[in-house]
Structures are given as structure tokens and as C-alpha cells.
Amino acid sequence: MKKLKQTSLNELCVNTIRMLSIDAVQKADSGHPGLPLDAAPMAYILWTYFLKHNPTNPKWYDRDRFVLSAGHGSMLLYSLLHLTGYKLSMGQIKQFRQWRSITPGHPESELTPGVEVTTGPLGQGFANGVGMAIAEAYLAARYNRPGFNIIDHYTYAIVSDGDLMEGVASEAASLAGHLQLGKLIYLYDNNHITLSASTQLAFTEDRQKRFEAYGWHTQVIDDGNDFDAIYNAIEVARQETKHPSLILIRTHIGYGSPHKHDTYKAHGSPLGVEEVKLTKQNLGWPEKPSFYVPKQAKKHFQKAISNGKHAEQKWKKKLAAYAKKYPNVFAELTQMMKSELKKDWNENIPHFPADPTGMATRDASQKVMQAINPNLPGFIGGSADLNESTKTALINFGNFESPATAVGDLQGSEDGSWNYAGRNLFYGVREHAMAAISNGLTTFPGIIPFTATFLTFSDYMRPPMRLAALMQQQVIYVFTHDSIGLGEDGPTHQPIEQLASLRAIPRLIVIRPADANETAVAWQIAIETRYQPVALVFTRQKVPTLDRKHYAPATGLRRGAYILEDAPKGKPAIILIASGSEVGLIIAAKQKLAAKKIPVRIVSMPSWELFEAQSKKYRDAVLPPSITARLAVEAGVSQGWEHYIGEKGDMISVEVYGASAPGPIVMQKYGFTVENVCRRALALLK
């Protein structure tokens, strides 16, 4: 075992991290000093002796990934980034938690160089790391060749008591253990304190045994300041190839603070001017100046720059040799690393012929997915145990499974292999982890993750969906069984408010296509949209496939809303608007109203977000302000539709929970009939 000992240089560097962190928190008069004080040794040892990274190129593809899941301790990460040479100046450290700084209260990946994912909501970073480890295993299985481990790195994280209490961490840990993700190593800051109390009040199970039951390799360190023990435990974890690792490190929150260590008072508030002074005295640090970085410590930390450059150059040299020996595979990997789509990736997307009976949009989605799979090597995902219902299995592309735990089924690959090269992820009934893991997957350029479940269960996924939008990540959410039209499963499974809830998330594009051809266009948009998540919302029940020789092309979906069929001479007396399965209703209603000599415009409106991105001129052309007689039809709550129907408009919606009965009966009882649409339209014209 290696002996680092408590050398004066190591102790100096650890205390540099601690003091830089508490000075920044104190200057901001806001933040969390406790974790940086107690976790500095484990972070220092990991970053100094193990982490493969290049501060001059934070996006190096084969770098090790580090996640601070305990994002409230953000100053720990900012201190490390600044000290090791990332583009994070001392000026930014001094602007911690201030307006327009790149050192926000919790780490944000789009703001700060070196921050892999946006963390803070506890448990999310834990699950993100699992996604990163899955991505590494998949890419390594697909692209590595004998003698050429082009993808070969670890995923590390610092996790906290709060992380392990959150349910999403349990979901993700269970899956990671099953998948035997041996290159996933988490350091658990086991300080026994939460924001408001000791863990003795609410968190007393044996965490080591729990993770062993999940299939993790575990080690316990009794002293968070034992450098040798931490170093050797990480080394052992790196040698453990068949299990993810959790190193439980007993720490003392607010270490060094005479009056606040081991208390919740060190968690979420500055120590105070006097306590900062006493802490520095206690740890042998000069009281002034603030933000002091000893030259010897700075020189030692910034070895990371030369080490990182050397590691990346060594990798590039290997990559060049790989390119000569495996030019075709290299070309595909290069496209992945550049996040480029293959030319004509969408050439096989089907066009669906007109059919009055039609098909469920979930079935159309299945056909489109199978068409685009072969041309999208980074397209990977799965459902929350609902492949048969969401129609999202990637046929003949294998299951992502550890060879030791893999079992065959109908979704196997053509050559019968069952390993990390498979692209079907079996998440089990774990919606929350599924979405959070996808946020980790999509941090790798070229990986396009998708998830799938029933629309009503989007509620389980909301926190990571919100974070995906915040991080501007490309994640595709497939939601089926989109309304009361699903029928007999009843109100527990019939979404009412979920569409409105999803539309409330900034940057999330929600698309609810009306038929098979709109579904095909929706998938193209989802694949092409690089910096926003997209929710695709599909029906369980069949809907007519519209005759596009008569109606406007389905490509109109790209603009969010479009005139499907206009009134004679383009002069409607009323506009009928709908999304999804209800578009068929307004088409039929238009025909009946036309028989009464009433000129009607019908508008398919699958996506509010895409519509709002259009010019005002286009929006006014579709929904002219002068035409105030507007009727919207959607099988969900009306919230938000007032923006499109106006004060004089009306809406057929669902404002109560659903009911258990055959889908057509439920739709009829709730007023989704041609007769009711006509009646409500006529009422607007009186």
C-alpha cells in the first residue's frame, strides 16, 4: 500500500482548498462551508493522484468524469478548478453566488468550465454519474479494439448523506450494481449531519450493507483526514472491475471550526467573521489576507496542467494509430465526438399512406425509431419496464447488460451478443433514475438518449427533466397513453394535467402529433434539436392517418402550429384548434359545419414551444387577431390555452380526473365528440 502520510505539502494543499472555500462563502455571506472543510482531503487526493483531466481542455473526450453530487458544497469544486488551472479566475472565486458570476450557488455545467453536470437537487448527481459510466462502457464496447482502448476512463463522485437518502439515488444504485459498472467510484462524505439535524433522527440504516446488497463493492475509512487510507481505498476501487464502488469516509462537517464542527450550523450558513478567524488559527493558517494561496501549493496544484496535456497528447497519439488501422470505425467515432449526425441519417423514415382507420401514434413512433436506428450509433435508451406498451425497443440492437447478468430475449442483437455494446437499456420500474441517468448519458457528445413511459408517470421524472432543460441537454422523452382515451386503466393512469405541467418547463419542447406523418416529423425534430430536451407525446388508441394530398403537409409541424385546412377563400368565421388525437375531431366537425355553410379553419397545434419560436407575422397568419371565434380541443386541462383562444374563445378540455371504461366511451362521456365540438362552435358564433 502506498504511503502518502500527512506531509506538510499535502496538508498545505488541503488547507488551501478549505480556506479558499470558507473565505468565498464568508465574502458572499451565503453558502455551505461545512462540506468543503470536511471533504477537502478526499477531493484533494482524488484530483491530485487519480483524476485524468486536462484543465486546458475541459471537454477532452476520454477524461475522467467528476461529479459533485453534493452540489451545495460547490466552493469545494470551484476551489479545485481554480487551483488546478481551469479558466476560473480568483476574481470569479471572489464573486461566488453573485450576479452574472460563473461561480453560482450550486454547480451549473453551462456556466463553469470543468463542471460536468448541474447538481444541487440531491441524488441527481449520483444518478448522472451512473449515466456517465453507462456511456463509457457503451462507447468502449463499441469502439475499442485490441491494443487500442480509446475510451478508457473512470467516473468519480462525491456524494453526501442527503444524496443517499433521496430515492433517485437508490434507484440508480440498484441499476448500477446490476449492470456491474466497475469504473464507477463514489466517495461518500459520511459526516452524519444534514441541513437541520443529525442523521440519527432520520437516517440510521447500515449504508454499507445496503450498497453491498445493491451489488456494490464497499470500503470504510474511519478518519476522513487519513490520506493513506483514502489513497489506498481509491486504488483498490480502481482494481475492482465487476462492481461499482462506494467508499464510506467518516468525516466531521465543518472540520477545523472550533464551535460549529459536527453541527448542522456548519452546513448551510457562513461560519461568521469571528469563526473564520478561529478556524484559520485552529488549522495554522494566516488570518490575513483572505483568499490566500501559498506559492508552493499553487505550484503543486498546477502540475495538473502539464500532466493533463501530456495525458491528452498520449491519447491523441494512440488515436492517430487507431485511425490508420481502423479507418471506418475511427470515422464513426469522430462523428460521435464531434456530435455530428451521419449524412442522410433520416433517409429511411417512412411516409405513411392515408388511412381513415390509421394507427396509434405510439405505433408510428415505433416504425420511425426502427428506421433511424441504423444511422444513429449514439441513439441509446429504454423504458421504465414498458417496452411492450411504449413500443420503444430497438429491435436487433442488443441489450446493454453486463455479460455476467445478461439474459436473452426477443430484443437481442443479430449476432446473439449480450454486452455493453447493446443499445436497449432496461431501466426497470425506475422512472426518476431513468431520466437522471439520461442526463449523464447526454454529457457525452454523440450520445442521444431516449426514455419511455406513460405520460402520467412523467410526474416521477420532473426534477431531472427540469435539469436537462437547465443544462440545455438533448434528451428525448417518449410518453405514450397520452389521455383519457387510454380507457380501462382509469384515472390513476389517465393524464389530465401533465401536458400543462410539461409545457411549463422552460426550454422543454413538447410535441403531441396528430397522426403517423406528424409523428415522423416530430422524431426528426427531436434528433436534430441539439441543446434542448424534447418530449414526444403519443396515443395508445388509433388515429386516422390524414390524406396529405388534401390536407397541408405534416412538415407544418416544424412550425408548431399550422393551417391543416382553411376556409374557402381563406376567410374563416371560426378557427378550430387541436393537438394529437383531437385533430381528427375538429376535422370531422369542420365537415359538418361546412354543410351548414359555416367557413371553418382547422389548425393542428402539436407544439406550443415551436409555435412561439416563429415570427409574429407567421403566428398572426395562423391565428389572426381579428378572428376571435376560436375553439380549442384537447384532452387535458385548459391551463395555458387562453393565450391562443383569447377572451372570446372556448375550449373543450378535461378539468376533472378520468374514469375506468373503454376509451371511446370515456372520450364520449367527457364531451370529445363531433356533435359537442359543433355545438360549442355554433355557440361561439351566436
Side-chain angles (χ1 to χ4, degrees), residues 334-345:
T334 300
Q335 279 192 315
M336 290 279 287
M337 292 191 294
K338 292 180 178 180
S339 204
E340 294 176 348
L341 295 174
K342 287 187 174 183
K343 184 179 180 181
D344 300 327
W345 68 270

Side-chain angles (χ1 to χ4, degrees), residues 138-139 200 318 341 353 386 395 425 477 490 492 499 544 593 639:
Y138 169 71
L139 292 166
Q200 290 301 308
K318 181 186 290 187
L341 295 174
L386 288 169
I395 307 299
L425 288 169
Y477 309 105
T492 60
L499 273 172
L593 292 169
Q639 181 178 325

